[in-house]
Amino acid sequence: MKLILTCEHGGNEIPETYKKHFNTNKAVLESHRGYDLGVLHLFQHLEQLSDASYFSMTSRLLVELNRSLFSKQLFSEFSNGLSKHEKSEIIKNYYFPYRTEIEYKIAEYIKSEQQVLHLSIHSFIQNLNDEERKADIGLLYDSRNKKEKEFCKQLKVRLLEQNPNLTVRFNYPYLGKSDGFTTFLRKQFPTNYLGIEIEVNQKYSHNNVMALNLKQDLFKAIESILFHPKTL
């Protein structure tokens, strides 16, 4: 099995050409809307487990790499007013290069008769609309895919072996079959591809000790599946 690790929302950078559209919105860029807080450090901690890894530092407020081209969320309210030409340039220079390189790598592995496990690393805000999201880790997958479901079951078991106090939930706080990069890739590669999104509560990004412990728990749990797997 080949492990591909990705991080679509690692940073909140805005290319110089488009900074003028964000000059009065710097606070938004620094918030959870601009990027996934804490996720880049987690990605880097897990990276040594992977056969190939990819991350983006471009803010999702310029273009949302985890949405399809037809999505209304592809551009934010800050970039949606750009001209068709400007949007086309953003898609050509930032959206397609990131996604296409990953797609080509998956195709390469599958062509050589390898099974691909793709872990897309994300984080979610602890409180949304005055409601607390009650999970430490969410594992997002397509419930119709038996191999994805089995992997997530194994990962949850092994995470709880590392730390029984963790709250690990399936398809929470989002559904794994909703519009996203893994959903797109499942359609491109109906066999030998498993696409899992790992969502971590952003409360861990504010506590260095908690964050380190969680990184280690995830690392050990994923490592144990890769090197001591049950049948997937």
Side-chain angles (χ1 to χ4, degrees), residues 5-13 15 34-36 39-40 43 53-66 93-95 97-99 102 121:
L5 203 67
T6 70
C7 179
E8 284 68 51
H9 305 135
N12 57 358
E13 295 178 2
Y35 69 116
D36 280 355
V39 78
L40 185 61
F43 168 84
S53 59
Y54 306 87
F55 67 96
S56 171
M57 295 299 290
T58 303
S59 176
R60 70 198 328 163
L61 292 178
L62 182 72
V63 62
E64 174 54 274
L65 299 178
N66 200 35
N93 293 323
Y94 301 99
Y95 183 89
Y98 179 83
R99 289 174 57 121
I102 295 166
I121 312 300

PDB file of all heavy atoms in Angstrom, residues 5-13 15 34-36 39-40 43 53-66 93-95 97-99 102 121:
ATOM      1  N   LEU A   5      -0.091  11.658   1.421  1.00  0.00           N
ATOM      2  CA  LEU A   5      -0.532  12.595   2.451  1.00  0.00           C
ATOM      3  C   LEU A   5      -0.705  13.968   1.817  1.00  0.00           C
ATOM      4  O   LEU A   5       0.178  14.437   1.097  1.00  0.00           O
ATOM      5  CB  LEU A   5       0.526  12.659   3.553  1.00  0.00           C
ATOM      6  CG  LEU A   5       0.114  13.111   4.951  1.00  0.00           C
ATOM      7  CD1 LEU A   5      -0.822  12.094   5.578  1.00  0.00           C
ATOM      8  CD2 LEU A   5       1.361  13.289   5.814  1.00  0.00           C
ATOM      9  N   THR A   6      -1.850  14.611   2.056  1.00  0.00           N
ATOM     10  CA  THR A   6      -2.060  15.948   1.505  1.00  0.00           C
ATOM     11  C   THR A   6      -2.592  16.903   2.568  1.00  0.00           C
ATOM     12  O   THR A   6      -3.176  16.483   3.563  1.00  0.00           O
ATOM     13  CB  THR A   6      -3.035  15.950   0.299  1.00  0.00           C
ATOM     14  OG1 THR A   6      -4.362  15.665   0.755  1.00  0.00           O
ATOM     15  CG2 THR A   6      -2.615  14.938  -0.751  1.00  0.00           C
ATOM     16  N   CYS A   7      -2.372  18.183   2.312  1.00  0.00           N
ATOM     17  CA  CYS A   7      -2.834  19.242   3.211  1.00  0.00           C
ATOM     18  C   CYS A   7      -3.256  20.421   2.332  1.00  0.00           C
ATOM     19  O   CYS A   7      -2.416  21.203   1.889  1.00  0.00           O
ATOM     20  CB  CYS A   7      -1.709  19.629   4.162  1.00  0.00           C
ATOM     21  SG  CYS A   7      -2.115  20.948   5.310  1.00  0.00           S
ATOM     22  N   GLU A   8      -4.541  20.529   2.085  1.00  0.00           N
ATOM     23  CA  GLU A   8      -5.058  21.537   1.155  1.00  0.00           C
ATOM     24  C   GLU A   8      -5.092  22.945   1.752  1.00  0.00           C
ATOM     25  O   GLU A   8      -5.093  23.925   1.019  1.00  0.00           O
ATOM     26  CB  GLU A   8      -6.467  21.148   0.696  1.00  0.00           C
ATOM     27  CG  GLU A   8      -6.518  20.024  -0.325  1.00  0.00           C
ATOM     28  CD  GLU A   8      -6.098  18.676   0.229  1.00  0.00           C
ATOM     29  OE1 GLU A   8      -6.633  18.254   1.287  1.00  0.00           O
ATOM     30  OE2 GLU A   8      -5.213  18.040  -0.385  1.00  0.00           O
ATOM     31  N   HIS A   9      -5.141  23.029   3.084  1.00  0.00           N
ATOM     32  CA  HIS A   9      -5.325  24.340   3.729  1.00  0.00           C
ATOM     33  C   HIS A   9      -4.218  24.618   4.739  1.00  0.00           C
ATOM     34  O   HIS A   9      -4.473  25.027   5.867  1.00  0.00           O
ATOM     35  CB  HIS A   9      -6.694  24.387   4.427  1.00  0.00           C
ATOM     36  CG  HIS A   9      -7.838  24.060   3.526  1.00  0.00           C
ATOM     37  ND1 HIS A   9      -8.862  23.205   3.880  1.00  0.00           N
ATOM     38  CD2 HIS A   9      -8.105  24.449   2.266  1.00  0.00           C
ATOM     39  CE1 HIS A   9      -9.725  23.101   2.881  1.00  0.00           C
ATOM     40  NE2 HIS A   9      -9.283  23.845   1.883  1.00  0.00           N
ATOM     41  N   GLY A  10      -2.966  24.414   4.308  1.00  0.00           N
ATOM     42  CA  GLY A  10      -1.848  24.557   5.222  1.00  0.00           C
ATOM     43  C   GLY A  10      -1.507  25.984   5.606  1.00  0.00           C
ATOM     44  O   GLY A  10      -0.928  26.233   6.661  1.00  0.00           O
ATOM     45  N   GLY A  11      -1.842  26.952   4.756  1.00  0.00           N
ATOM     46  CA  GLY A  11      -1.465  28.340   5.034  1.00  0.00           C
ATOM     47  C   GLY A  11      -2.502  29.333   4.567  1.00  0.00           C
ATOM     48  O   GLY A  11      -3.539  28.971   4.008  1.00  0.00           O
ATOM     49  N   ASN A  12      -2.210  30.600   4.817  1.00  0.00           N
ATOM     50  CA  ASN A  12      -3.146  31.675   4.469  1.00  0.00           C
ATOM     51  C   ASN A  12      -2.486  32.719   3.565  1.00  0.00           C
ATOM     52  O   ASN A  12      -2.801  33.905   3.624  1.00  0.00           O
ATOM     53  CB  ASN A  12      -3.687  32.339   5.736  1.00  0.00           C
ATOM     54  CG  ASN A  12      -2.586  32.899   6.625  1.00  0.00           C
ATOM     55  OD1 ASN A  12      -1.400  32.761   6.318  1.00  0.00           O
ATOM     56  ND2 ASN A  12      -2.967  33.520   7.723  1.00  0.00           N
ATOM     57  N   GLU A  13      -1.567  32.272   2.728  1.00  0.00           N
ATOM     58  CA  GLU A  13      -0.858  33.195   1.849  1.00  0.00           C
ATOM     59  C   GLU A  13      -1.730  33.651   0.685  1.00  0.00           C
ATOM     60  O   GLU A  13      -2.523  32.880   0.143  1.00  0.00           O
ATOM     61  CB  GLU A  13       0.408  32.520   1.308  1.00  0.00           C
ATOM     62  CG  GLU A  13       1.432  32.199   2.387  1.00  0.00           C
ATOM     63  CD  GLU A  13       2.654  31.483   1.836  1.00  0.00           C
ATOM     64  OE1 GLU A  13       2.715  31.267   0.600  1.00  0.00           O
ATOM     65  OE2 GLU A  13       3.537  31.124   2.632  1.00  0.00           O
ATOM     66  N   PRO A  15      -1.141  35.528  -3.014  1.00  0.00           N
ATOM     67  CA  PRO A  15      -0.139  36.010  -3.979  1.00  0.00           C
ATOM     68  C   PRO A  15      -0.207  37.526  -4.139  1.00  0.00           C
ATOM     69  O   PRO A  15      -1.285  38.129  -4.015  1.00  0.00           O
ATOM     70  CB  PRO A  15      -0.542  35.304  -5.275  1.00  0.00           C
ATOM     71  CG  PRO A  15      -1.298  34.095  -4.828  1.00  0.00           C
ATOM     72  CD  PRO A  15      -2.024  34.500  -3.582  1.00  0.00           C
ATOM     73  N   GLY A  34      -9.386  31.511   6.936  1.00  0.00           N
ATOM     74  CA  GLY A  34      -8.254  31.699   6.039  1.00  0.00           C
ATOM     75  C   GLY A  34      -7.460  30.427   5.792  1.00  0.00           C
ATOM     76  O   GLY A  34      -6.892  30.239   4.713  1.00  0.00           O
ATOM     77  N   TYR A  35      -7.424  29.551   6.793  1.00  0.00           N
ATOM     78  CA  TYR A  35      -6.667  28.302   6.681  1.00  0.00           C
ATOM     79  C   TYR A  35      -7.073  27.376   7.826  1.00  0.00           C
ATOM     80  O   TYR A  35      -7.845  27.765   8.714  1.00  0.00           O
ATOM     81  CB  TYR A  35      -5.160  28.568   6.700  1.00  0.00           C
ATOM     82  CG  TYR A  35      -4.585  29.052   8.012  1.00  0.00           C
ATOM     83  CD1 TYR A  35      -3.668  28.286   8.707  1.00  0.00           C
ATOM     84  CD2 TYR A  35      -4.939  30.299   8.550  1.00  0.00           C
ATOM     85  CE1 TYR A  35      -3.110  28.721   9.905  1.00  0.00           C
ATOM     86  CE2 TYR A  35      -4.397  30.750   9.742  1.00  0.00           C
ATOM     87  CZ  TYR A  35      -3.485  29.952  10.416  1.00  0.00           C
ATOM     88  OH  TYR A  35      -2.947  30.391  11.600  1.00  0.00           O
ATOM     89  N   ASP A  36      -6.540  26.162   7.813  1.00  0.00           N
ATOM     90  CA  ASP A  36      -6.828  25.200   8.881  1.00  0.00           C
ATOM     91  C   ASP A  36      -5.767  25.344   9.966  1.00  0.00           C
ATOM     92  O   ASP A  36      -4.618  24.891   9.791  1.00  0.00           O
ATOM     93  CB  ASP A  36      -6.830  23.766   8.343  1.00  0.00           C
ATOM     94  CG  ASP A  36      -8.128  23.401   7.643  1.00  0.00           C
ATOM     95  OD1 ASP A  36      -9.062  24.227   7.648  1.00  0.00           O
ATOM     96  OD2 ASP A  36      -8.212  22.286   7.089  1.00  0.00           O
ATOM     97  N   VAL A  39      -2.884  22.662  11.325  1.00  0.00           N
ATOM     98  CA  VAL A  39      -2.851  21.455  10.506  1.00  0.00           C
ATOM     99  C   VAL A  39      -1.499  21.223   9.833  1.00  0.00           C
ATOM    100  O   VAL A  39      -1.091  20.074   9.623  1.00  0.00           O
ATOM    101  CB  VAL A  39      -3.988  21.499   9.460  1.00  0.00           C
ATOM    102  CG1 VAL A  39      -3.649  22.398   8.301  1.00  0.00           C
ATOM    103  CG2 VAL A  39      -4.343  20.113   8.966  1.00  0.00           C
ATOM    104  N   LEU A  40      -0.769  22.284   9.516  1.00  0.00           N
ATOM    105  CA  LEU A  40       0.505  22.115   8.823  1.00  0.00           C
ATOM    106  C   LEU A  40       1.513  21.375   9.704  1.00  0.00           C
ATOM    107  O   LEU A  40       2.240  20.493   9.222  1.00  0.00           O
ATOM    108  CB  LEU A  40       1.078  23.465   8.394  1.00  0.00           C
ATOM    109  CG  LEU A  40       2.349  23.402   7.549  1.00  0.00           C
ATOM    110  CD1 LEU A  40       2.102  22.645   6.233  1.00  0.00           C
ATOM    111  CD2 LEU A  40       2.872  24.801   7.254  1.00  0.00           C
ATOM    112  N   PHE A  43       0.547  17.737   9.699  1.00  0.00           N
ATOM    113  CA  PHE A  43       0.934  17.174   8.408  1.00  0.00           C
ATOM    114  C   PHE A  43       2.432  16.869   8.387  1.00  0.00           C
ATOM    115  O   PHE A  43       2.854  15.779   7.958  1.00  0.00           O
ATOM    116  CB  PHE A  43       0.561  18.158   7.298  1.00  0.00           C
ATOM    117  CG  PHE A  43       1.142  17.840   5.946  1.00  0.00           C
ATOM    118  CD1 PHE A  43       0.514  16.942   5.098  1.00  0.00           C
ATOM    119  CD2 PHE A  43       2.313  18.462   5.520  1.00  0.00           C
ATOM    120  CE1 PHE A  43       1.051  16.662   3.845  1.00  0.00           C
ATOM    121  CE2 PHE A  43       2.847  18.184   4.275  1.00  0.00           C
ATOM    122  CZ  PHE A  43       2.213  17.275   3.440  1.00  0.00           C
ATOM    123  N   SER A  53       3.930  13.295  -0.521  1.00  0.00           N
ATOM    124  CA  SER A  53       3.183  14.269   0.276  1.00  0.00           C
ATOM    125  C   SER A  53       3.112  15.605  -0.451  1.00  0.00           C
ATOM    126  O   SER A  53       4.042  15.991  -1.157  1.00  0.00           O
ATOM    127  CB  SER A  53       3.829  14.451   1.658  1.00  0.00           C
ATOM    128  OG  SER A  53       5.170  14.900   1.527  1.00  0.00           O
ATOM    129  N   TYR A  54       1.985  16.293  -0.244  1.00  0.00           N
ATOM    130  CA  TYR A  54       1.718  17.556  -0.951  1.00  0.00           C
ATOM    131  C   TYR A  54       0.969  18.490  -0.007  1.00  0.00           C
ATOM    132  O   TYR A  54       0.041  18.070   0.680  1.00  0.00           O
ATOM    133  CB  TYR A  54       0.875  17.309  -2.202  1.00  0.00           C
ATOM    134  CG  TYR A  54       1.452  16.272  -3.135  1.00  0.00           C
ATOM    135  CD1 TYR A  54       1.162  14.920  -2.951  1.00  0.00           C
ATOM    136  CD2 TYR A  54       2.282  16.636  -4.188  1.00  0.00           C
ATOM    137  CE1 TYR A  54       1.707  13.956  -3.794  1.00  0.00           C
ATOM    138  CE2 TYR A  54       2.824  15.681  -5.035  1.00  0.00           C
ATOM    139  CZ  TYR A  54       2.526  14.340  -4.836  1.00  0.00           C
ATOM    140  OH  TYR A  54       3.059  13.388  -5.666  1.00  0.00           O
ATOM    141  N   PHE A  55       1.347  19.764  -0.007  1.00  0.00           N
ATOM    142  CA  PHE A  55       0.614  20.736   0.804  1.00  0.00           C
ATOM    143  C   PHE A  55       0.538  22.059   0.067  1.00  0.00           C
ATOM    144  O   PHE A  55       1.359  22.366  -0.796  1.00  0.00           O
ATOM    145  CB  PHE A  55       1.261  20.918   2.179  1.00  0.00           C
ATOM    146  CG  PHE A  55       2.610  21.571   2.146  1.00  0.00           C
ATOM    147  CD1 PHE A  55       2.744  22.941   2.352  1.00  0.00           C
ATOM    148  CD2 PHE A  55       3.754  20.819   1.918  1.00  0.00           C
ATOM    149  CE1 PHE A  55       3.987  23.548   2.321  1.00  0.00           C
ATOM    150  CE2 PHE A  55       5.013  21.419   1.891  1.00  0.00           C
ATOM    151  CZ  PHE A  55       5.134  22.777   2.094  1.00  0.00           C
ATOM    152  N   SER A  56      -0.458  22.845   0.427  1.00  0.00           N
ATOM    153  CA  SER A  56      -0.640  24.176  -0.165  1.00  0.00           C
ATOM    154  C   SER A  56      -0.622  25.222   0.937  1.00  0.00           C
ATOM    155  O   SER A  56      -1.220  25.026   2.003  1.00  0.00           O
ATOM    156  CB  SER A  56      -1.965  24.257  -0.924  1.00  0.00           C
ATOM    157  OG  SER A  56      -2.224  25.603  -1.305  1.00  0.00           O
ATOM    158  N   MET A  57       0.055  26.326   0.656  1.00  0.00           N
ATOM    159  CA  MET A  57       0.078  27.453   1.588  1.00  0.00           C
ATOM    160  C   MET A  57      -0.825  28.588   1.127  1.00  0.00           C
ATOM    161  O   MET A  57      -0.923  29.616   1.791  1.00  0.00           O
ATOM    162  CB  MET A  57       1.513  27.961   1.749  1.00  0.00           C
ATOM    163  CG  MET A  57       2.464  26.963   2.394  1.00  0.00           C
ATOM    164  SD  MET A  57       1.951  26.504   4.074  1.00  0.00           S
ATOM    165  CE  MET A  57       2.269  28.045   4.933  1.00  0.00           C
ATOM    166  N   THR A  58      -1.477  28.424  -0.015  1.00  0.00           N
ATOM    167  CA  THR A  58      -2.373  29.459  -0.533  1.00  0.00           C
ATOM    168  C   THR A  58      -3.698  29.424   0.215  1.00  0.00           C
ATOM    169  O   THR A  58      -4.296  28.359   0.377  1.00  0.00           O
ATOM    170  CB  THR A  58      -2.629  29.255  -2.036  1.00  0.00           C
ATOM    171  OG1 THR A  58      -1.377  29.252  -2.724  1.00  0.00           O
ATOM    172  CG2 THR A  58      -3.513  30.356  -2.594  1.00  0.00           C
ATOM    173  N   SER A  59      -4.164  30.582   0.648  1.00  0.00           N
ATOM    174  CA  SER A  59      -5.397  30.631   1.430  1.00  0.00           C
ATOM    175  C   SER A  59      -6.593  30.119   0.645  1.00  0.00           C
ATOM    176  O   SER A  59      -6.753  30.405  -0.540  1.00  0.00           O
ATOM    177  CB  SER A  59      -5.681  32.065   1.886  1.00  0.00           C
ATOM    178  OG  SER A  59      -6.932  32.121   2.565  1.00  0.00           O
ATOM    179  N   ARG A  60      -7.442  29.405   1.344  1.00  0.00           N
ATOM    180  CA  ARG A  60      -8.693  28.923   0.752  1.00  0.00           C
ATOM    181  C   ARG A  60      -9.606  30.086   0.376  1.00  0.00           C
ATOM    182  O   ARG A  60     -10.555  29.904  -0.391  1.00  0.00           O
ATOM    183  CB  ARG A  60      -9.412  28.022   1.763  1.00  0.00           C
ATOM    184  CG  ARG A  60      -9.942  28.815   2.916  1.00  0.00           C
ATOM    185  CD  ARG A  60     -10.313  28.104   4.180  1.00  0.00           C
ATOM    186  NE  ARG A  60     -10.809  26.765   4.072  1.00  0.00           N
ATOM    187  CZ  ARG A  60     -10.856  25.923   5.117  1.00  0.00           C
ATOM    188  NH1 ARG A  60     -10.413  26.323   6.301  1.00  0.00           N
ATOM    189  NH2 ARG A  60     -11.335  24.721   4.998  1.00  0.00           N
ATOM    190  N   LEU A  61      -9.334  31.286   0.893  1.00  0.00           N
ATOM    191  CA  LEU A  61     -10.160  32.440   0.554  1.00  0.00           C
ATOM    192  C   LEU A  61      -9.841  32.978  -0.837  1.00  0.00           C
ATOM    193  O   LEU A  61     -10.622  33.753  -1.391  1.00  0.00           O
ATOM    194  CB  LEU A  61      -9.991  33.549   1.603  1.00  0.00           C
ATOM    195  CG  LEU A  61     -10.546  33.221   2.993  1.00  0.00           C
ATOM    196  CD1 LEU A  61     -10.276  34.363   3.962  1.00  0.00           C
ATOM    197  CD2 LEU A  61     -12.046  32.930   2.936  1.00  0.00           C
ATOM    198  N   LEU A  62      -8.712  32.570  -1.393  1.00  0.00           N
ATOM    199  CA  LEU A  62      -8.425  32.908  -2.793  1.00  0.00           C
ATOM    200  C   LEU A  62      -9.094  31.886  -3.698  1.00  0.00           C
ATOM    201  O   LEU A  62      -9.838  32.233  -4.610  1.00  0.00           O
ATOM    202  CB  LEU A  62      -6.922  32.933  -3.059  1.00  0.00           C
ATOM    203  CG  LEU A  62      -6.560  33.338  -4.494  1.00  0.00           C
ATOM    204  CD1 LEU A  62      -6.825  34.824  -4.717  1.00  0.00           C
ATOM    205  CD2 LEU A  62      -5.098  33.003  -4.808  1.00  0.00           C
ATOM    206  N   VAL A  63      -8.820  30.611  -3.432  1.00  0.00           N
ATOM    207  CA  VAL A  63      -9.471  29.522  -4.166  1.00  0.00           C
ATOM    208  C   VAL A  63      -9.488  28.304  -3.249  1.00  0.00           C
ATOM    209  O   VAL A  63      -8.514  28.025  -2.549  1.00  0.00           O
ATOM    210  CB  VAL A  63      -8.749  29.218  -5.497  1.00  0.00           C
ATOM    211  CG1 VAL A  63      -7.323  28.748  -5.281  1.00  0.00           C
ATOM    212  CG2 VAL A  63      -9.541  28.219  -6.326  1.00  0.00           C
ATOM    213  N   GLU A  64     -10.595  27.599  -3.257  1.00  0.00           N
ATOM    214  CA  GLU A  64     -10.804  26.459  -2.365  1.00  0.00           C
ATOM    215  C   GLU A  64     -10.376  25.171  -3.073  1.00  0.00           C
ATOM    216  O   GLU A  64     -11.084  24.646  -3.930  1.00  0.00           O
ATOM    217  CB  GLU A  64     -12.277  26.401  -1.944  1.00  0.00           C
ATOM    218  CG  GLU A  64     -12.680  25.185  -1.132  1.00  0.00           C
ATOM    219  CD  GLU A  64     -11.855  24.946   0.100  1.00  0.00           C
ATOM    220  OE1 GLU A  64     -10.802  24.296  -0.047  1.00  0.00           O
ATOM    221  OE2 GLU A  64     -12.262  25.374   1.187  1.00  0.00           O
ATOM    222  N   LEU A  65      -9.193  24.674  -2.698  1.00  0.00           N
ATOM    223  CA  LEU A  65      -8.632  23.493  -3.352  1.00  0.00           C
ATOM    224  C   LEU A  65      -9.407  22.219  -3.032  1.00  0.00           C
ATOM    225  O   LEU A  65      -9.260  21.215  -3.731  1.00  0.00           O
ATOM    226  CB  LEU A  65      -7.169  23.311  -2.939  1.00  0.00           C
ATOM    227  CG  LEU A  65      -6.216  24.453  -3.290  1.00  0.00           C
ATOM    228  CD1 LEU A  65      -4.817  24.146  -2.771  1.00  0.00           C
ATOM    229  CD2 LEU A  65      -6.191  24.696  -4.790  1.00  0.00           C
ATOM    230  N   ASN A  66     -10.211  22.262  -2.000  1.00  0.00           N
ATOM    231  CA  ASN A  66     -10.963  21.075  -1.586  1.00  0.00           C
ATOM    232  C   ASN A  66     -12.403  21.110  -2.090  1.00  0.00           C
ATOM    233  O   ASN A  66     -13.283  20.456  -1.515  1.00  0.00           O
ATOM    234  CB  ASN A  66     -10.945  20.948  -0.053  1.00  0.00           C
ATOM    235  CG  ASN A  66     -11.254  19.535   0.410  1.00  0.00           C
ATOM    236  OD1 ASN A  66     -10.871  18.563  -0.244  1.00  0.00           O
ATOM    237  ND2 ASN A  66     -11.947  19.412   1.537  1.00  0.00           N
ATOM    238  N   ASN A  93      -3.133  28.616 -12.225  1.00  0.00           N
ATOM    239  CA  ASN A  93      -1.858  28.737 -11.529  1.00  0.00           C
ATOM    240  C   ASN A  93      -1.828  28.100 -10.138  1.00  0.00           C
ATOM    241  O   ASN A  93      -0.735  27.780  -9.638  1.00  0.00           O
ATOM    242  CB  ASN A  93      -1.471  30.213 -11.403  1.00  0.00           C
ATOM    243  CG  ASN A  93      -1.163  30.841 -12.748  1.00  0.00           C
ATOM    244  OD1 ASN A  93      -0.587  30.205 -13.628  1.00  0.00           O
ATOM    245  ND2 ASN A  93      -1.568  32.098 -12.927  1.00  0.00           N
ATOM    246  N   TYR A  94      -2.991  27.929  -9.507  1.00  0.00           N
ATOM    247  CA  TYR A  94      -2.999  27.442  -8.133  1.00  0.00           C
ATOM    248  C   TYR A  94      -3.857  26.187  -7.938  1.00  0.00           C
ATOM    249  O   TYR A  94      -3.460  25.283  -7.197  1.00  0.00           O
ATOM    250  CB  TYR A  94      -3.475  28.555  -7.177  1.00  0.00           C
ATOM    251  CG  TYR A  94      -2.592  29.759  -7.249  1.00  0.00           C
ATOM    252  CD1 TYR A  94      -2.971  30.869  -8.016  1.00  0.00           C
ATOM    253  CD2 TYR A  94      -1.356  29.793  -6.615  1.00  0.00           C
ATOM    254  CE1 TYR A  94      -2.139  31.974  -8.123  1.00  0.00           C
ATOM    255  CE2 TYR A  94      -0.517  30.896  -6.717  1.00  0.00           C
ATOM    256  CZ  TYR A  94      -0.918  31.986  -7.481  1.00  0.00           C
ATOM    257  OH  TYR A  94      -0.088  33.063  -7.589  1.00  0.00           O
ATOM    258  N   TYR A  95      -4.987  26.119  -8.592  1.00  0.00           N
ATOM    259  CA  TYR A  95      -5.919  25.003  -8.388  1.00  0.00           C
ATOM    260  C   TYR A  95      -5.459  23.749  -9.126  1.00  0.00           C
ATOM    261  O   TYR A  95      -5.225  22.698  -8.521  1.00  0.00           O
ATOM    262  CB  TYR A  95      -7.315  25.435  -8.846  1.00  0.00           C
ATOM    263  CG  TYR A  95      -8.418  24.412  -8.641  1.00  0.00           C
ATOM    264  CD1 TYR A  95      -9.125  24.374  -7.447  1.00  0.00           C
ATOM    265  CD2 TYR A  95      -8.771  23.532  -9.654  1.00  0.00           C
ATOM    266  CE1 TYR A  95     -10.153  23.454  -7.265  1.00  0.00           C
ATOM    267  CE2 TYR A  95      -9.795  22.615  -9.483  1.00  0.00           C
ATOM    268  CZ  TYR A  95     -10.491  22.590  -8.286  1.00  0.00           C
ATOM    269  OH  TYR A  95     -11.508  21.683  -8.109  1.00  0.00           O
ATOM    270  N   PRO A  97      -2.524  22.981 -10.758  1.00  0.00           N
ATOM    271  CA  PRO A  97      -1.200  22.408 -10.480  1.00  0.00           C
ATOM    272  C   PRO A  97      -1.175  21.538  -9.230  1.00  0.00           C
ATOM    273  O   PRO A  97      -0.563  20.467  -9.228  1.00  0.00           O
ATOM    274  CB  PRO A  97      -0.314  23.651 -10.310  1.00  0.00           C
ATOM    275  CG  PRO A  97      -0.978  24.691 -11.146  1.00  0.00           C
ATOM    276  CD  PRO A  97      -2.455  24.446 -10.967  1.00  0.00           C
ATOM    277  N   TYR A  98      -1.850  21.997  -8.184  1.00  0.00           N
ATOM    278  CA  TYR A  98      -1.874  21.220  -6.936  1.00  0.00           C
ATOM    279  C   TYR A  98      -2.612  19.901  -7.128  1.00  0.00           C
ATOM    280  O   TYR A  98      -2.083  18.820  -6.853  1.00  0.00           O
ATOM    281  CB  TYR A  98      -2.539  22.048  -5.825  1.00  0.00           C
ATOM    282  CG  TYR A  98      -2.635  21.300  -4.507  1.00  0.00           C
ATOM    283  CD1 TYR A  98      -1.555  21.272  -3.633  1.00  0.00           C
ATOM    284  CD2 TYR A  98      -3.802  20.628  -4.154  1.00  0.00           C
ATOM    285  CE1 TYR A  98      -1.623  20.577  -2.428  1.00  0.00           C
ATOM    286  CE2 TYR A  98      -3.881  19.932  -2.957  1.00  0.00           C
ATOM    287  CZ  TYR A  98      -2.796  19.911  -2.101  1.00  0.00           C
ATOM    288  OH  TYR A  98      -2.876  19.207  -0.923  1.00  0.00           O
ATOM    289  N   ARG A  99      -3.827  19.976  -7.622  1.00  0.00           N
ATOM    290  CA  ARG A  99      -4.658  18.782  -7.720  1.00  0.00           C
ATOM    291  C   ARG A  99      -4.160  17.805  -8.788  1.00  0.00           C
ATOM    292  O   ARG A  99      -4.201  16.586  -8.591  1.00  0.00           O
ATOM    293  CB  ARG A  99      -6.112  19.184  -7.973  1.00  0.00           C
ATOM    294  CG  ARG A  99      -6.750  19.831  -6.740  1.00  0.00           C
ATOM    295  CD  ARG A  99      -8.135  20.364  -7.003  1.00  0.00           C
ATOM    296  NE  ARG A  99      -9.076  19.393  -7.492  1.00  0.00           N
ATOM    297  CZ  ARG A  99     -10.228  19.067  -6.887  1.00  0.00           C
ATOM    298  NH1 ARG A  99     -10.540  19.605  -5.713  1.00  0.00           N
ATOM    299  NH2 ARG A  99     -11.065  18.209  -7.436  1.00  0.00           N
ATOM    300  N   ILE A 102      -1.142  15.549  -7.728  1.00  0.00           N
ATOM    301  CA  ILE A 102      -1.566  14.464  -6.846  1.00  0.00           C
ATOM    302  C   ILE A 102      -2.296  13.385  -7.638  1.00  0.00           C
ATOM    303  O   ILE A 102      -2.057  12.181  -7.455  1.00  0.00           O
ATOM    304  CB  ILE A 102      -2.465  15.023  -5.722  1.00  0.00           C
ATOM    305  CG1 ILE A 102      -1.651  15.963  -4.826  1.00  0.00           C
ATOM    306  CG2 ILE A 102      -3.079  13.883  -4.894  1.00  0.00           C
ATOM    307  CD1 ILE A 102      -2.479  16.822  -3.906  1.00  0.00           C
ATOM    308  N   ILE A 121      -5.372  15.883   5.350  1.00  0.00           N
ATOM    309  CA  ILE A 121      -5.332  16.365   6.730  1.00  0.00           C
ATOM    310  C   ILE A 121      -5.966  17.750   6.846  1.00  0.00           C
ATOM    311  O   ILE A 121      -5.580  18.684   6.145  1.00  0.00           O
ATOM    312  CB  ILE A 121      -3.884  16.402   7.255  1.00  0.00           C
ATOM    313  CG1 ILE A 121      -3.156  15.084   6.963  1.00  0.00           C
ATOM    314  CG2 ILE A 121      -3.870  16.712   8.741  1.00  0.00           C
ATOM    315  CD1 ILE A 121      -3.792  13.862   7.582  1.00  0.00           C
TER     316      ILE A 121
END
